[in-house]
Amino acid sequence: MNKEILIFGHKNPDTDTICSAIVKQILNEKSGKDTCKAVRLGNVNKETQYVLDYVEIEAPELLEHVDEGQEVILVDHNEFNQSVDGIDNAKVLEVIDHHRISNFETAEPLYYTAKPYGCTSTILYGEFKEKDIPIDKKEATLMASAIISDTLLLKSPTTTEYDKKALENLSNIAGIDLEKYGLDMLKAGTDLDDFSEEELLNLDAKKFEKDGVTCVIAQVNTVSIPEVLKREEKLKEAMQDEIKNENLDVCILAITDILNSDSELIVLGERTDVIEKSHHLEDDKVFLKGVVSRKKQLLPMVENNI
Ligand code: MN
Ligand code: MN
């Protein structure tokens, strides 16, 4: 077992998950708490790598599973089915998150910070302020990048006033031009050429279950939906494989245009009605204007239709 407290975000890590784990480790060090170590539960995506290269730090170590009794801090998630293997028998000391609370239970009391902000790093920014701990350039860049990523440069409907304020202050400290750095960073994550269709599907996928219906909603960001749809047939094959292997009732791939803030969905499986009750599918697809958020827009729609 690892003696240090391990800090990590969800599987299929995104920029918020990686940056918030790193920043939480720094915050704990600066507040004189027990030693802890940020780790990751999967490959770093290209957007996140852009950020890590920019601040010149290495990605956290990969963690495959945790032993019984391992002390952990969760950031950017709480649902055990999105967490590390073995989490059921770990000791969760603390959670800092901005998602719904579900599939989560502990045997012992814990610190739990949940705020409905657009990003975990916005909550962490608030903790720096509250504790009056100075934020350096690197920390500011990490937190700003997480906010840019989760809110798609403040354009996602998940964006709150807290995110706007935090990002304004953090980008000043970081000395970054928000529009330029933000778009460069988001665009770095849209280079999908090196990935197989199966990998594309797993870049940012989350599994949900409601009333016995198991659903995966995967999302890829792009600057051109037609470009991604050139691979439609192969993507559908990969989705069918996923449905078979993971016993899914429905698999949804959201291809999100980060410049125009729209998404095209591909919907496959036995329960495509979770989308069809709201939108007509043509050739298994539907274009949704103004839809970019899985959490605030897609998931509530799917759950309503189950
Ligand atoms: Mn996340
Ligand atoms: Mn997040």
Side-chain angles (χ1 to χ4, degrees):
M1 191 167 63
N2 216 306
K3 271 205 142 76
E4 289 160 309
I5 299 164
L6 300 178
I7 307 177
F8 48 85
H10 51 79
K11 282 183 176 163
N12 304 321
D14 55 21
T15 299
D16 184 25
T17 261
I18 297 287
C19 292
S20 288
I22 296 170
V23 170
K24 174 62 178 163
Q25 181 193 322
I26 296 170
L27 179 62
N28 278 15
E29 279 163 6
K30 286 189 167 179
S31 350
K33 290 200 177 156
D34 290 343
T35 25
C36 48
K37 184 170 128 190
V39 290
R40 64 186 161 89
L41 305 187
N43 292 337
V44 168
N45 69 33
K46 287 188 187 175
E47 181 196 279
T48 310
Q49 194 57 52
Y50 179 92
V51 178
L52 296 176
D53 290 345
Y54 188 91
V55 293
E56 297 177 325
I57 59 173
E58 294 281 324
E61 219 173 88
L62 180 69
L63 178 73
E64 307 267 11
H65 66 93
V66 288
D67 296 329
E68 190 172 346
Q70 172 68 50
E71 295 185 315
V72 300
I73 295 173
L74 309 186
V75 297
D76 197 36
H77 76 301
N78 66 79
E79 301 197 34
F80 282 0
N81 54 2
Q82 296 166 7
S83 198
V84 72
D85 297 344
I87 187 71
D88 310 61
N89 297 312
K91 188 174 173 191
V92 182
L93 301 180
E94 182 175 358
V95 177
I96 301 183
D97 190 23
H98 67 127
H99 295 90
R100 68 173 188 182
I101 301 171
S102 186
N103 300 306
F104 179 84
E105 198 176 289
T106 60
E108 289 176 57
L110 75 160
Y111 290 98
Y112 200 117
T113 309
K115 293 188 197 283
Y117 298 170
C119 181
T120 305
S121 273
T122 304
I123 306 174
L124 290 173
Y125 169 77
E127 300 212 344
F128 274 92
K129 291 272 131 195
E130 208 173 283
K131 295 178 174 145
D132 210 14
I133 296 171
I135 299 170
D136 72 20
K137 224 171 164 168
K138 222 169 242 191
E139 294 144 22
T141 308
L142 289 167
M143 285 188 274
S145 302
I147 298 171
I148 291 166
S149 173
D150 266 14
T151 66
L152 289 177
L153 258 176
L154 305 178
K155 280 193 284 188
S156 166
T158 53
T159 309
T160 66
E161 287 307 310
Y162 298 97
D163 302 299
K164 288 181 190 162
K165 209 160 183 183
L167 184 53
E168 193 188 317
N169 288 338
L170 288 168
S171 55
N172 281 336
I173 301 169
I176 50 174
D177 175 343
L178 207 48
E179 282 300 316
K180 170 149 190 1
Y181 175 85
L183 271 185
D184 285 349
M185 184 200 105
L186 290 173
K187 277 186 187 158
T190 67
D191 173 14
L192 306 174
D193 291 353
D194 302 348
F195 298 108
S196 70
E197 284 72 21
E198 190 192 345
E199 286 168 332
L200 273 190
L201 209 55
N202 282 297
L203 277 182
D204 176 16
K206 282 190 180 160
K207 199 186 227 175
F208 302 95
E209 206 188 306
K210 194 197 170 196
D211 298 342
V213 179
T214 310
C215 164
V216 159
I217 307 180
Q219 189 166 28
V220 290
N221 287 344
T222 182
V223 287
S224 162
I225 291 174
E227 196 58 40
V228 179
L229 283 179
K230 282 185 184 163
R231 303 169 71 175
E232 180 178 345
E233 286 318 309
K234 289 207 160 160
L235 281 169
K236 283 181 175 174
E237 279 170 33
M239 289 169 75
Q240 295 291 14
D241 287 345
E242 182 92 359
I243 289 169
K244 228 163 102 192
N245 298 337
E246 302 287 318
N247 249 321
L248 305 178
D249 296 296
V250 59
C251 182
I252 301 168
L253 173 64
I255 303 161
T256 299
D257 179 337
I258 55 164
L259 298 180
N260 298 305
S261 303
D262 304 314
S263 294
E264 176 102 22
L265 305 187
I266 303 178
V267 188
L268 293 176
E270 288 287 314
R271 291 295 307 270
T272 52
D273 61 300
V274 299
I275 295 295
E276 274 179 306
K277 279 181 190 166
S278 321
H279 299 278
H280 175 63
L281 292 179
E282 216 175 300
D283 196 16
D284 310 310
K285 297 192 301 292
V286 61
F287 178 77
L288 300 180
K289 202 152 185 43
V291 170
V292 294
S293 168
R294 171 169 46 203
K295 181 163 71 173
K296 272 230 156 137
Q297 296 170 305
L298 288 175
L299 184 62
M301 186 206 300
V302 167
E303 292 203 313
N304 267 332
N305 290 340
I306 284 175

